[in-house]
C-alpha cells in the first residue's frame, strides 16, 4: 500500500518554511513531508533527510530527484554528527511507513507469514527474533506491557519462554499462534487483532525507538537557529509524553519564582510552543487513513 503522509498540510504550515533555509527530515520514509518542504524552498534552500531503511532512501532518491536534498542512511538521533550547521527546521514523523508494514519479508506485520525480523535498518544485528528467542521472560513481559500496553503480557511472555524451549520461534505466524493460545477465549472475540500490541511492542524494542527519540530531544535545541522550528508527529502515548515533557521544559521560564528573583536573574525561555494542545487528525483524514487515528503533532519554535 502507498504511504499516505499524516497531518501533512498542518505540519508544513506550522514549520513555517523559509525559502532559503536549511531543513532536516529525520524520518524520510517515502518523502511525503520532504516533498512539501521542497515546494516551499528556493534554489538556495536545502533539506537533509535521514532514514534507517535503505529502501526508503533509494525510492525517495528516485522519486524526489532533487539536488537540494542531502541523503543520510543513518539514525536521526546522530544528526549532529552529520550536519555541521544550525537548522531552520526539523520534522520527525515517527514509526514505520506503509511499505515497510506491507513488505511480507520484513516481518513487521502479523498479517503475513515471514521470519521474525522488524529491523528498520537491515544492517543492525539484533532483530525481533533475538528478543523473542533470547530475552528473559521478565524483560519480554516488560516490553509487551510498556511498549504495547498488552493486557496479557505476562501470559504471552510465559508462553513464549515455554514454547521456545521446545524449538525456536522462527516466524510471525509462530508468534501469532502463541499469542492466540495465551489469550483468554472471550478476549479473542473482541475487536482488533490479538497480536497487534505485541507486534508494536517488539518493533519499538527492536529499533530502540524511544531511546532514539530521547537522545534527539536532548540535543536538538542547540542545533536550531533563531526562529527555527521543530515539528514532531508521534503515534504512541509514550513517545508523545516524551515530546510533551521536553517541549514544556524548554518553553517554561522561571515565572513561579519570579517574585523571589532579582530582575537580572529572571530568564525568559528560549523556546515557545507553537501549539499548546497536540494537533490531531480530523475525521476526514482518519476516514482516508486509519494510521492517522493515533497521530499527535507538537511544534516548538526557538526565540533566541
Ligand atoms: C512514518 S514513516 C515517515 C513517512 C514520511 N514522513 C512520509 O510522509 O513519506 C517513518 C520512517 O522513519 C524511519 N525511521 C524510524 N526511526 C528512525 C530513526 N531513528 N532514524 C532514521 N529513520 C527512522 C522509518 O524507517 C520510516 O521509513
Amino acid at each position: 500500500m502507498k504511504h499516505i503522509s499524516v497531518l501533512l498540510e498542518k505540519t508544513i504550515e506550522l514549520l513555517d518554511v523559509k525559502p532559503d533555509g536549511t531543513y532536516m527530515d529525520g524520518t524520510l520514509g517515502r518523502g511525503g513531508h520532504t516533498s512539501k518542504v521542497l515546494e516551499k524552498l528556493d534554489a538556495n534552500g536545502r533539506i537533509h533527510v535521514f532514514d534507517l531503511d535503505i529502501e526508503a532512501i533509494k525510492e525517495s532518491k528516485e522519486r524526489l530527484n532533487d539536488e537540494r536534498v542531502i541523503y543520510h542512511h543513518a539514525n536521526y538521533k546522530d544528526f549532529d554528527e552529520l550536519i555541521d550547521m544550525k537548522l531552520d527546521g526539523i520534522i520527525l514523523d515517527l514509526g514505520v511507513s506503509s511499505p515497510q508494514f506491507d513488505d511480507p519479508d520484513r516481518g513487521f506485520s502479523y498479517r503475513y507469514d515471514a521470519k521474525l525480523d522488524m529491523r528498520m535498518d537491515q544492517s543492525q544485528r539484533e532483530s525481533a527474533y533475538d528478543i523473542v528467542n533470547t530475552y528473559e521472560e521478565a524483560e519480554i513481559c516488560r516490553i509487551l506491557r510498556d511498549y504495547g500496553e498488552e493486557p496479557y503480557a505476562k501470559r504471552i511472555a510465559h508462553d513464549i519462554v515455554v514454547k521456545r524451549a521446545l524449538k525456536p520461534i522462527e516466524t510471525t505466524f509462530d508468534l501469532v499462534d502463541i499469542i492466540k493460545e495465551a489469550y483468554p477465549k472471550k478476549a479473542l472475540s473482541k475487536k482488533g487483532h490479538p497480536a497487534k500490541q505485541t507486534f508494536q511492542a517488539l518493533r519499538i524494542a527492536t529499533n530502540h525507538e524511544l531511546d532514539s527519540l530521547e537522545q534527539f530531544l536532548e540535543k536538538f535545541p542547540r542545533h536550531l537557529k533563531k526562529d527555527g522550528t521543530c515539528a514532531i508527529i508521534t503515534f504512541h502515548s509514550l513517545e508523545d509524553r516524551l515530546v510533551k515533557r521536553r517541549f514544556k521544559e524548554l518553553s517554561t521560564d522561571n515565572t513561579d519564582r519570579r517574585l523571589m528573583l532579582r530582575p537580572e536573574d529572571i530568564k525568559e525561555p528560549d523556546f515557545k510552543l507553537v501549539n499548546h494542545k497536540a494537533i490531531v487528525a480530523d475525521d476526514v483524514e482518519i476516514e482516508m487513513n486509519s494510521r492517522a487515528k493515533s497521530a499527535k503533532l507538537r511544534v516548538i519554535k526557538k526565540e533566541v
Side-chain angles (χ1 to χ4, degrees), residues 188-207:
L188 276 179
S189 55
K190 284 202 181 131
K191 218 177 122 223
H193 196 290
K196 187 171 176 193
Q197 282 140 293
T198 295
F199 272 61
Q200 172 187 286
L202 288 173
R203 191 205 82 213
I204 290 174
T206 301
N207 297 292

Side-chain angles (χ1 to χ4, degrees), residues 5 27-33 51-52 74-76 93 95-96 100 120:
S5 303
T27 51
L28 173 68
R30 291 309 185 261
H33 288 89
D51 209 294
L52 285 170
N75 193 314
Y76 68 73
D93 170 20
V96 274
Q100 288 170 322
M120 289 179 186

Side-chain angles (χ1 to χ4, degrees), residues 97-294:
S97 65
S98 304
Q100 288 170 322
F101 260 128
D102 294 340
D103 182 346
D105 295 340
R106 305 293 297 270
F108 280 109
S109 173
Y110 45 81
R111 288 198 202 96
Y112 310 108
D113 198 14
K115 194 167 159 39
L116 265 179
D117 187 334
M118 303 196 194
R119 289 168 304 163
M120 289 179 186
D121 177 0
Q122 293 187 292
S123 64
Q124 178 184 304
R125 270 190 36 214
E126 189 174 76
S127 70
Y129 174 92
D130 301 297
I131 296 180
V132 167
N133 285 288
T134 65
Y135 280 25
E136 288 189 4
E137 183 177 330
E139 180 58 3
I140 296 177
C141 179
R142 185 197 69 77
I143 288 171
L144 303 192
R145 209 185 37 224
D146 290 358
Y147 303 162
E149 292 168 81
E150 169 52 65
Y152 304 106
K154 210 162 171 212
R155 294 165 74 142
I156 297 170
H158 177 74
D159 285 12
I160 284 175
V161 172
V162 169
K163 291 278 162 50
R164 77 186 189 196
L166 305 173
K167 72 174 186 52
I169 301 162
E170 299 274 356
T171 68
T172 49
F173 278 10
D174 287 346
L175 183 59
V176 169
D177 287 344
I178 294 171
I179 297 165
K180 282 186 176 164
E181 273 179 44
Y183 252 60
K185 286 267 170 317
K186 63 175 189 326
L188 276 179
S189 55
K190 284 202 181 131
K191 218 177 122 223
H193 196 290
K196 187 171 176 193
Q197 282 140 293
T198 295
F199 272 61
Q200 172 187 286
L202 288 173
R203 191 205 82 213
I204 290 174
T206 301
N207 297 292
H208 309 282
E209 292 179 31
L210 295 173
D211 184 46
S212 294
L213 180 59
E214 275 187 293
Q215 289 193 43
F216 169 83
L217 288 171
E218 199 283 313
K219 52 188 166 182
F220 86 88
R222 300 188 287 284
H223 300 276
L224 277 182
K225 287 186 197 162
K226 176 172 170 359
D227 294 328
T229 45
C230 176
I232 307 188
I233 303 169
T234 61
F235 292 87
H236 191 286
S237 56
L238 284 177
E239 290 171 344
D240 183 55
R241 212 174 303 153
L242 290 175
V243 176
K244 185 177 171 186
R245 198 195 307 144
R246 180 64 168 145
F247 279 13
K248 182 156 187 236
E249 184 182 289
L250 291 168
S251 59
T252 307
D253 58 15
N254 47 18
T255 12
D256 300 356
R257 296 185 294 119
R258 257 179 192 216
L259 292 176
M260 291 149 40
L261 295 173
R262 290 176 304 177
E264 60 271 31
D265 290 336
I266 294 177
K267 187 179 170 316
E268 295 301 330
D270 292 349
F271 283 81
K272 190 172 155 204
L273 296 178
V274 173
N275 55 323
H276 284 268
K277 264 187 81 174
I279 292 166
V280 294
D282 59 22
D283 293 345
V284 178
E285 180 168 359
I286 294 170
E287 180 69 29
M288 269 172 41
N289 182 10
S290 60
R291 277 186 70 252
K293 209 161 35 182
S294 49

